[in-house]
Amino acid sequence: MGDAERRGGTAGRSSRLTIAGRELAGLSAEKTILLAVAIQLFIAAFSSFLVVGLVSMYDPGALGGAEVEVAGAGDAVSDLERAASEVDGASVTRYEDAGAARLAFERNAADAVVVADRNHEGRIVARVTAPDATVETTVIVVQLRELLRTYELNERADRTAYLTESPLPLPERTGSSPYFTFTYTVLIPVLVFLPVFISGSLVVDSITEEIDEGTLELLRVAPVTLGEIIDGKALAAVAIAPGQALLWLLLLRANGTPVANVPSILALMTALTTLVVALAVAISALAPDRRAAQFLYSIGVLVLFGGATAMAGGPANAVARLAIDSADARTTALVVAYVAIAAVAYAGVRRLVAANGFGD
Amino acid sequence: MIDRLGRVLRVARWEVARAGGGVDRRTLLAALALLLVAGAVLGGGLAVGAVGLDVDRDVYRVAVDGDSPYADAVDEAPALTPVPVGSATLGETADLVVLDVGRGESGAVETVAVRASDTRKGEAAAAEFREAVEAHNERLMADEENATAAFPVAVTLRYVGRTSALDDGSTLGEASDGSGGDDGSDGDDGSGGDDGSDGRGGSGDGSGSDGTDGDDDAGGGTGDAALDGGASGDGSGSDGTDGDDDAGGGTGDAALDGGASGDGFAVPSVGGGTFGADTAGSPGSISPPFPFVSLLLAFVFLVPMNFLIQAYGSSVLDERTNRRGEPLLVTPLSPVDIVAGKTLPYVAAALLVTTVIAVAVGGGALSVIAVLPVALTFLAATFVGAMFARSFKELTFVTVGVSVLLTTYAFVPAVFTNVTPVALVSPLTLVVFDLQGEAVSVGEALFSTGPMALGAALLFGLGLGVYREEDMFTQKPVTRKLLDALAVRLSAVDDAGLADLADRRRLRALGSVAFLTACAIPFVFVVELLAVATLFALPVTVSVPVLLVTIAFVEEVAKSVGLYAGFERGVFARTDRVAVAVGLASAVGFFLAEKATAVVQAVGLTELYVGRAAFGSVAGVDGLSPVAAAALLFAPLLLHGFATTVAAVGASRDRTAYALTLALATLLHAAYNFGVVSVHG
């Protein structure tokens, strides 16, 4: 076998390419790859929608500079007013007593009530009343928390003498978009990994379909070895993955999100694609039919993807660090390790399947 | 009827037997082994601490001196990674440098200066660093002996509805002695008027009474705010909780007291914050009400659907490959029986899984009722996909597409459950309500589940049209299959003289055209909603024009694609007269169905600016003179009639002509929409 394979080296290469070409032609005829890209585009558009939506709930500024009007009462209310002057988007109006403040709240003159009293040992007890189940509750409570934290900081500063260790001063507040971290740590990894799973799924379908319709037997009559058939199919599936990822990264760049270390990211995702494709080949060889194969593949991918996000230094985190340009030597070592693992896994699976055949 | 049920059940039994054979024991064992391995790896990882869900681990590099007090803060923040100051260059190997830690005379840190690189990454790193220092301070304070100085502010947060005339509180627990346990007696109802008093009540006497407060909405107004006691007591401050007793008479409640008698302030653990329950603790422990947990739980309902449709799609496509479904088709069973029987086991499985999940996460019957239409739509869309797909590869993409679209359509509106009533377009919102224990009216439930159930029924109808011998076993591109499926629903329209215009058969044929177009309305709205959501992130100046053209295009396609199918499949005679007739019929069907769905206005969708742009032609007729209103009402009819006739004339020629006239119709429609939006603002 080894001898024959060496002699037919060139023929083997061209038959691999022929099979890969056949796979790609099938894909483009069915236009499935277009559908795949459309699905990914949709996911990308929607995840930004989701984030914009969530952020606008949490960031009152995004809702047009919402100002929360607090009715204040109690003997410590002047300090509360001082805190409010330091917080954007919250103002305190003083009322004579808690009853008056609550009345103002009832009449919609105030968004919330804070009754702040000093107790005998000097602690301030703030009783906060916020409206229940209205649209703005979240926004109001977020602002209230900001206000009360500032209040706490001020009060704590006055009591530093009683503390064994004083709190560290905070650096200046800077404006930063919450989308930034999300884009790099969630959106980019998701976009980079989607093509990986699509490729694996393609291999499962392609192999099980050939087994199912009996065309694999036909192929084997042709002068190609089983290993070459697997190579061809895997080659086609792996080849289409980096292109899709590159498309996303370029799109993000055009959209004003610079992505660093693109070659390393592509190398990492190609290695992962090879790994997933190896998994797909192994599953199609072991599973009795297509349904079982797709089922096992879904579970396998779920496990892999879940593990990938959960691991410290997993591929999702590695992609995030590469993309945001915070990679160090460890990240590079990680990429090399993934490439090695993928190569070993694929070679192992190919060898096993070439020796044992499919489907029995 | 009984007969038919028997037939359906027989097919269902057969399907179950076959599907059971499809996934054999070995496969299940293999899947189980995979999951076990994953569990073991994950468990092992957790044990050695190598596993964490920090996707943002070490994303920002902060240059900080090893002995700086800030080094600890940086170390403890997962997103920050420390780099030595000496070798760091801002912008290249570090995103933020902590400089100049100014110390006062006593040696305590008094000021700090940081410099961030001048990029968005630098800004993000600075914000992250500030949060890290805040978190570090909280931890530092938690270790302090003097809790009063460390946490000088104790907060009790409660949510009160503004509906009641006077929600007054009365305090409880005043002056009771530190025995702690006795409250509960308070909660006197009916006392009504005096609130206010409570606030101070508790304080003053250092007895640790903790009051709790009963919250009694129903009856007599005791309500009360209270909070209490803890505050006044010694040390314990924070734990008053309040019982919320809606029903009856004010027995007060709950009580809590625990810490009251104790001394020493423990940082309170705040429970129940997830659903926005009332909370108490230091300001940092306040969590804004957000249905996040319910939302995640609602998502759990969707996960099994993905596996279900994979099996279902395979089963349907299996019938179509190698003519395997032929024997079944030659039996006296009708296609409806076969499809119903094949689908039944999957619906049953969906119901079963949903019920199990509902029980597990604490949902009730409402959750199951809400998820059922979602499951049906998943199955219906997969059925259509499997009827159209040529190969398993194609089916895989169709299945993925269906999952993604439906999951987002169901999930995304539910995110806004507590924010806007639009959220109700997704049945998952009902699940979130159910998990939060909120009441849902029958109308809301119907509004939420009805359209999706209708959509599922229409999709099944579409797929059933091609569930017959001449279509099932042929391999055609998906688009041509779709035309086949649409053409099945039309009846022939021949070219005829004016005399036959009112012929009954002809009217019925035109009626079928109108009906087919009307059936497209739910899908048009879904697509338009998705378009609104997708374009939401763009600035209004960009999103509105794009949206207007998109919506015009979607509507024009919906009105004319059936006509194109009719001409292509030879159902309609290719003459201009027929084109005008079917074009007008289609426009009328669309117009009537659109008006029937004016409910969007009731739901408040038009409150959103982009929503108004999308549905402007439907809503927004109030506040106008009757003549203008009538004109506005019928202007869309004229528009639809004209645009669709244009497209129909093209459709009656060939594909190129159809594409051109469709573009023309879209432009006309978009121009009209733009006029409406600019008039209404």
Side-chain angles (χ1 to χ4, degrees), chain B residues 22-395:
Chain B
V23 177
D24 62 347
R25 206 168 299 156
R26 224 177 78 191
T27 311
L28 283 180
L29 279 180
L32 204 64
L34 263 176
L35 287 177
L36 277 181
V37 169
V41 170
L42 220 60
L46 274 179
V48 301
V51 170
L53 274 173
D54 310 312
V55 281
D56 58 352
R57 181 175 289 271
D58 294 350
V59 167
Y60 302 113
R61 296 157 306 176
V62 177
V64 58
D65 223 345
D67 28 320
S68 155
Y70 287 92
D72 285 342
V74 173
D75 266 341
E76 283 158 5
L80 303 180
T81 181
V83 294
V85 172
S87 59
T89 351
L90 196 62
E92 276 170 43
T93 54
D95 310 304
L96 183 84
V97 181
V98 181
L99 323 143
D100 308 335
V101 176
R103 288 176 189 274
E105 283 164 24
S106 60
V109 184
E110 284 184 351
T111 57
V112 63
V114 297
R115 187 177 313 140
S117 62
D118 189 20
T119 55
R120 283 167 63 205
K121 188 185 177 191
E123 285 172 12
E128 196 72 45
F129 178 67
R130 194 183 146 95
E131 271 174 36
V133 176
E134 278 175 358
H136 178 74
N137 283 342
E138 287 292 313
R139 280 190 297 271
L140 217 56
M141 290 302 109
D143 292 341
E144 281 288 330
E145 301 257 311
N146 186 337
T148 318
F151 293 99
V153 179
V155 176
T156 306
L157 172 63
R158 57 196 301 274
Y159 297 98
V160 174
R162 278 198 181 112
T163 46
S164 61
L166 264 187
D167 181 278
D168 28 22
S170 51
T171 317
L172 344 155
E174 0 209 77
S176 65
D177 44 25
S179 66
D182 63 336
D183 25 10
S185 60
D186 35 348
D188 47 341
D189 38 10
S191 65
D194 61 346
D195 46 342
S197 61
D198 46 345
R200 328 180 172 188
S203 59
D205 47 13
S207 63
S209 60
D210 42 352
T212 58
D213 33 312
D215 202 289
D216 180 342
D217 303 70
T222 61
D224 66 30
L227 164 348
D228 74 52
S232 58
D234 40 288
S236 68
S238 58
D239 47 7
T241 56
D242 33 330
D244 205 293
D245 181 344
D246 303 349
T251 58
D253 48 34
L256 93 57
D257 61 26
S261 53
D263 31 68
F265 179 93
V267 175
S269 68
V270 173
T274 42
F275 295 166
D278 298 358
T279 54
S282 73
S285 62
I286 296 175
S287 59
F290 178 58
F292 196 66
V293 173
S294 325
L295 200 59
L296 278 187
L297 292 179
F299 189 65
V300 172
F301 283 98
L302 293 183
V303 174
M305 303 293 165
N306 294 298
F307 289 93
L308 207 63
I309 62 171
Q310 222 174 49
Y312 180 63
S314 286
S315 164
V316 174
L317 189 53
D318 255 348
E319 299 282 309
R320 296 184 50 224
T321 49
N322 300 345
R323 301 183 79 87
R324 263 177 222 151
E326 202 164 21
L328 212 55
L329 274 180
V330 291
T331 60
L333 295 169
S334 75
V336 179
D337 295 340
I338 300 175
V339 174
K342 279 183 81 71
T343 313
L344 200 60
Y346 297 93
V347 176
L351 261 181
L352 189 73
V353 173
T354 307
T355 311
V356 169
I357 295 177
V359 170
V361 304
L366 180 64
S367 294
V368 180
I369 293 171
V371 174
L372 188 61
V374 182
L376 284 176
T377 313
F378 263 91
L379 291 173
T382 309
F383 174 67
V384 172
M387 288 310 293
F388 289 180
R390 270 167 295 177
S391 68
F392 283 114
K393 259 179 291 186
E394 205 165 55
L395 176 64

Side-chain angles (χ1 to χ4, degrees), chain B residues 545-559:
Chain B
V546 174
L547 200 68
L548 288 179
V549 174
T550 312
I551 282 167
F553 178 70
V554 170
E555 292 188 358
E556 288 308 319
V557 168
K559 284 183 294 178

Side-chain angles (χ1 to χ4, degrees), chain B residues 525 594-595 597-601 606 614-621 633 636:
Chain B
F525 275 131
E594 197 184 41
K595 286 296 166 243
T597 54
V599 276
V600 281
Q601 185 172 32
T606 46
F615 301 103
S617 54
V618 183
V621 278
L633 195 66

Side-chain angles (χ1 to χ4, degrees), chain B residues 608-636:
Chain B
L608 301 170
Y609 187 75
V610 273
R612 199 155 56 225
F615 301 103
S617 54
V618 183
V621 278
D622 30 72
L624 294 168
S625 72
V627 179
L632 259 177
L633 195 66
F634 288 102

Side-chain angles (χ1 to χ4, degrees), chain A residues 49 110 126-127 156 169 205 290 310 326, chain B residues 52 59 70 154 162 199 314 396 412:
Chain A
F49 165 71
R127 276 161 311 188
R156 196 182 277 160
D205 280 330
R290 176 184 179 270
S326 285
Chain B
V59 167
Y70 287 92
R162 278 198 181 112
S314 286
T396 297
V412 170

